[in-house]
Amino acid sequence: MTEQDTSEKTENGKVLALLEYGPLVLFFLMYKMWKNNTFVVFDVEYQGFIAATAAFVPLLVLSMLIIKRLTGELSHMQAATLVLVIIFGGMSVWFNDERFFKLKPTLIYLIFASLLGGGLYWGKSFLLYAFKKKHIDALNLSEEGWMILTKRFMFFFIGLAVANEVIWRMMTTDAWVNFKTFGLPLGTIAFFMAQGGLFKRYSTEEDSD
């Protein structure tokens, strides 16, 4: 790979990361600006959280459409997340009830965990189908390595679901928004970093980084 190819790949990665996490950051900023405000639409009062949710849904749809246009596809995880955001974000706005949107991460992670667990029961790693092919190729793991990583992902998703339930039910909306915006992405990064030993041990490349 030439230096130019590497540079282009890095820039594309930055653009995709901005498209994927940009709507979430905007949701955080809109909530912070509007959380003490009340908006009246057709004689119905909406709090700032609902207004931020109503803005977040189309922003996410737009960003996913752009990602699909740039890459030619969405991963199964991206597609599933998008569908649930539309459903539960729409329900929060329609019923003027923030609980639907707060419940959404719990359902997403339990669905992912259930699918991975079902695959493990049948001796398959459904994690292979959850990621884009380029991500699968980049890991270069043996079959045993994929099975172990899948099991760890399953428990990781269960942990995220439990954490989301505890935070949105027992803590403030501010705490939940901070958890969604920063806690979940940072937790995912930390999880991947913790798998360094597994990637090295089960790598199918002789000289892997």
Side-chain angles (χ1 to χ4, degrees):
M1 181 179 292
T2 65
E3 183 176 345
Q4 182 178 357
D5 292 336
T6 302
S7 177
E8 290 179 356
K9 185 176 181 180
T10 301
E11 289 301 318
N12 290 338
K14 291 179 180 178
V15 171
L16 293 176
L18 179 62
L19 288 169
E20 189 159 359
Y21 293 104
L24 183 59
V25 174
L26 289 174
F27 169 78
F28 172 80
L29 295 175
M30 288 184 292
Y31 168 74
K32 290 298 183 182
M33 289 188 298
W34 299 340
K35 66 178 182 178
N36 296 321
N37 295 346
T38 299
F39 301 86
V40 179
V41 181
F42 299 117
D43 295 326
V44 179
E45 292 187 354
Y46 296 93
Q47 300 302 315
F49 183 92
I50 299 298
T53 301
F56 171 74
V57 174
L59 282 173
L60 184 65
V61 171
L62 178 61
S63 69
M64 290 295 108
L65 289 175
I66 296 174
I67 289 175
K68 189 176 188 304
R69 181 68 180 270
L70 293 176
T71 64
E73 61 178 344
L74 293 177
S75 70
H76 290 82
M77 294 178 70
Q78 288 173 323
T81 299
L82 177 60
V83 170
L84 290 177
V85 165
I86 293 173
I87 293 174
F88 285 90
M91 290 175 68
S92 275
V93 175
W94 182 263
F95 293 107
N96 199 9
D97 189 340
E98 63 185 35
R99 292 176 296 178
F100 290 106
F101 194 60
K102 290 179 177 179
L103 181 63
K104 183 264 302 177
T106 300
L107 296 178
I108 287 178
Y109 293 127
L110 288 180
I111 289 172
F112 289 162
S114 299
L115 291 174
L116 295 182
L120 290 171
Y121 178 80
W122 293 104
K124 298 180 181 295
S125 173
F126 285 168
L127 198 63
L128 291 168
Y129 303 100
F131 290 105
K132 293 180 180 177
K133 186 177 184 301
K134 62 181 180 180
H135 293 155
I136 295 171
D137 294 340
L139 290 178
N140 293 307
L141 292 177
S142 65
E143 183 176 351
E144 183 181 2
W146 274 110
M147 295 298 288
I148 295 173
L149 184 61
T150 299
K151 184 180 295 186
R152 292 182 181 181
F153 254 107
M154 180 187 70
F155 287 116
F156 176 62
F157 285 142
I158 292 173
L160 290 180
V162 172
N164 186 69
E165 282 296 292
V166 170
I167 291 172
W168 86 262
R169 291 181 184 275
M170 301 181 65
M171 298 185 184
T172 64
T173 297
D174 276 356
W176 183 84
V177 171
N178 290 333
F179 169 72
K180 178 178 173 58
T181 307
F182 304 108
L184 291 178
L186 291 176
T188 302
I189 292 172
F191 173 79
F192 267 104
M193 292 179 64
Q195 309 312 308
L198 183 147
F199 296 148
K200 183 176 181 180
R201 180 177 179 181
Y202 293 97
S203 173
T204 54
E205 289 185 350
E206 293 184 1
D207 299 313
S208 61
D209 294 331

